[in-house]
Amino acid sequence: VLCGMSCVSERQQGKSMKSYLKLVFLLLFSLSFAAPRLGAEENNPRTKKGWRDYFSRGSEESSGRRKKAPSESEETNPEGMVDVIDSPTTNVVDYGGFRLNFRLYKQGSLLSHLSFGVFRRLNLGASWDVEKFIGVDDPSTNPPTLNVKFRVYDGGEVLPSFSFGYDGQGRFFDKSKDEYVEKERGLYGVLGRELFAPHLVATGGINIADFKRGTVLGFVGVSYTMEEKFVLLLEFDNLRSAPGNRLNAGMRVFPIPALGIDFAVRDLTDSGNRERVVRINYVGSF
């Protein structure tokens, strides 16, 4: 009996020893296979992610574009295509920067907008609408509005970039109703990605302007940049019902990298409400 028990124990020990050796071999093999990758991850700054790093890597990559070297980015326009014509894109003004634009529209009116990059992913701003700013009539001011925009994701090989925000600026104030004829953008979310060809960027999103009724609208925009000096713009805005949809088209010219001048036509399909717009955009830093 003792001999039999000893034989069984020796067999079990042999089996356990073989299992242990197999386990050690697999562990060593896995470590040897993973070691180069682990080293590569340590040397790759993109894998070291924390909340500080998340807020410090803002709009350097937009809509799937590669990160530019500092010397190269100085030669391109820093305006960043924060919006198309009326609809927003996923881009934001970089940390420590500001964006100032003046929109000249019908009856000599002026809509000014100023936004700041308080973080690399967060923009805060305000706009002020002055009707009949140019001309012989007395100018009329409307209450200033606030806006905020946060870039959540910079985009990757598969997923597009994503931002959301709030824009309280409407258009064409009706004093009798004490509200804008064209409602503000309100709360919105927007996706963006470079498609088909370099510098051809498509954006699309939804927004809620009327929170009482919960009306959800959509917008789609396309921009194509040529040699960082000339941009073609096209967008479908206010998408919900056919009579209210707006088709806008225009171009943006960069005399200098920090200055963009827009020439656009809004509501192309409605001859009664068609409008020519000129806008001056300037980006700087502190």
Side-chain angles (χ1 to χ4, degrees), residues 128-160:
W128 190 32
D129 187 22
V130 182
E131 297 179 354
K132 301 178 182 179
F133 180 78
I134 301 174
V136 296
D137 296 330
D138 294 333
S140 176
T141 61
N142 297 317
T145 60
L146 298 177
N147 55 81
V148 59
K149 188 176 183 181
F150 181 70
R151 183 178 173 95
V152 179
Y153 182 60
D154 293 329
E157 295 295 333
V158 178
L159 298 177

Side-chain angles (χ1 to χ4, degrees), residues 26-212:
L26 290 175
L27 181 59
L28 292 175
F29 179 78
S30 301
L31 289 176
S32 64
F33 179 74
R37 297 189 177 185
L38 293 174
E41 290 178 354
E42 291 178 356
N43 295 327
N44 186 1
R46 294 177 64 86
T47 60
K48 297 180 180 179
K49 294 181 179 179
W51 71 271
R52 293 181 183 274
D53 183 60
Y54 178 76
F55 282 98
S56 66
R57 295 184 307 138
S59 58
E60 292 175 346
E61 294 180 10
S62 88
S63 305
R65 296 183 180 181
R66 64 180 178 85
K67 184 178 179 180
K68 299 176 181 179
S71 59
E72 182 183 355
S73 62
E74 293 175 357
E75 300 175 357
T76 60
N77 71 79
E79 200 274 337
M81 299 299 298
V82 176
D83 51 25
V84 185
I85 298 173
D86 292 338
S87 61
T89 68
T90 61
N91 296 333
V92 292
V93 179
D94 205 356
Y95 171 69
F98 67 90
R99 181 175 185 261
L100 176 64
N101 70 62
F102 300 98
R103 183 189 188 108
L104 303 173
Y105 63 100
K106 68 178 186 179
Q107 297 180 353
S109 301
L110 174 67
L111 175 60
S112 57
H113 174 91
L114 177 63
S115 58
F116 298 92
V118 294
F119 291 102
R120 291 188 187 272
R121 293 179 179 270
L122 179 64
N123 286 177
L124 295 177
S127 56
W128 190 32
D129 187 22
V130 182
E131 297 179 354
K132 301 178 182 179
F133 180 78
I134 301 174
V136 296
D137 296 330
D138 294 333
S140 176
T141 61
N142 297 317
T145 60
L146 298 177
N147 55 81
V148 59
K149 188 176 183 181
F150 181 70
R151 183 178 173 95
V152 179
Y153 182 60
D154 293 329
E157 295 295 333
V158 178
L159 298 177
S161 56
F162 172 67
S163 297
F164 72 90
Y166 177 82
D167 187 355
Q169 181 60 58
R171 293 179 178 86
F172 312 125
F173 192 77
D174 187 347
K175 296 186 182 298
S176 61
K177 297 181 179 180
D178 195 27
E179 63 181 14
Y180 282 97
V181 176
E182 289 187 9
K183 300 297 183 182
E184 65 274 11
R185 180 76 51 186
L187 186 67
Y188 65 87
V190 56
L191 301 172
R193 187 171 184 82
E194 191 174 71
L195 296 177
F196 306 123
H199 309 299
L200 177 62
V201 179
T203 59
I206 59 174
N207 65 285
I208 302 176
D210 191 344
F211 292 94
K212 293 182 179 179

